[in-house]
Amino acid sequence: MKLPEEYYLGSDVVALSRDLIGKYLFTCIDGETTGGYIVETEAYNGIIDKASHSYGNRITPRTKTMFEQGGIAYVYLCYGIHEMFNIVTSVGGQPHAILIRAVVPTDGLDIIMQRRNMETLKPNITKGPGSVAKALGISRKINAFSLQGDTIWVEDRGLSFPDAEVVAGPRIGVDYAGEDALLPYRFYVRGNIFVSKPNK
């Protein structure tokens, strides 16, 4: 069952980031459906978060998607190489976003391996946000697409992880954010082999 639009409109991006652990992310690109369940996320808390693209109410051609109403895809290019998929949350004008850092692939494994140029299902196939996007065929072509559509969406299939199995810690690669780099806005399933950089 697709998560309803209302799900994405909550103002607590950190709570939503935790809640997305165990939800299933799917894409249908060029008629091929691929997906898996989310095991690692990072929350970006809008204009007050020094790690966020929208910090200080910064609106650019890239960040304007973040200021839309929640429930859409925000896809951007990182280091000129990796596409990164985020879920925009909250109401319009409040630019919250959640980066999907890792999934456990479950659907369309042959297509995922083909996209990643792999012959076997190794953990790094969907480990890290760049790998997730490449494996699921996510690119900037679907930036701002609704998660209610048939190209990219999130489902609740009843999978959940108790708090004892989910680690909350600092985000990765945001040292420039000063004290905000230390905020416990990253969530991941403890011991999961697909998690990008476990530290516990």
Side-chain angles (χ1 to χ4, degrees):
M1 192 169 116
K2 270 181 198 167
L3 293 178
E5 192 171 49
E6 308 84 69
Y7 175 88
Y8 302 103
L9 302 184
S11 61
D12 189 340
V13 69
V14 179
L16 275 173
S17 190
R18 164 63 180 92
D19 196 69
L20 280 166
I21 298 292
K23 301 293 190 289
Y24 281 74
L25 171 64
F26 290 104
T27 60
C28 183
I29 308 291
D30 298 327
E32 304 282 4
T33 299
T34 52
Y37 61 88
I38 298 166
V39 290
E40 185 181 4
T41 60
E42 282 181 348
Y44 288 87
N45 193 23
I47 64 174
I48 62 168
D49 184 352
K50 291 176 183 169
S52 174
H53 292 167
S54 60
Y55 174 64
N57 221 26
R58 188 165 57 237
I59 303 176
T60 67
R62 178 170 82 162
T63 67
K64 70 178 193 289
T65 302
M66 299 178 77
F67 288 83
E68 300 292 322
Q69 179 174 292
I72 63 172
Y74 170 45
V75 187
Y76 66 89
L77 193 66
C78 182
Y79 304 128
I81 308 168
H82 303 293
E83 310 267 15
M84 310 278 254
F85 166 65
N86 302 254
I87 293 172
V88 176
T89 65
S90 196
V91 294
Q94 191 169 46
H96 291 176
I98 298 167
L99 175 66
I100 305 304
R101 287 198 58 94
V103 304
V104 174
T106 57
D107 292 60
L109 299 182
D110 52 337
I111 303 299
I112 287 173
M113 288 189 284
Q114 188 180 320
R115 286 178 181 149
R116 296 284 287 121
N117 199 25
M118 293 183 179
E119 293 179 3
T120 55
L121 196 68
K122 297 175 183 172
N124 63 338
I125 201 161
T126 48
K127 178 186 284 198
S131 298
V132 169
K134 193 166 185 186
L136 300 186
I138 297 170
S139 71
R140 284 165 292 163
K141 291 177 185 172
I142 65 167
N143 182 53
F145 274 38
S146 170
L147 300 182
Q148 299 303 308
D150 297 323
T151 300
I152 186 163
W153 67 94
V154 182
E155 293 184 16
D156 185 346
R157 294 194 166 185
L159 176 63
S160 63
F161 294 90
D163 287 342
E165 291 180 31
V166 178
V167 178
R171 293 167 291 187
I172 293 171
V174 296
D175 295 346
Y176 57 84
E179 67 273 18
D180 286 1
L182 303 175
L183 292 168
Y185 284 2
R186 174 180 172 236
F187 298 92
Y188 65 88
V189 177
R190 191 188 305 275
N192 187 279
I193 61 172
F194 291 91
V195 167
S196 60
K197 288 184 182 176
N199 54 23
K200 285 185 190 178

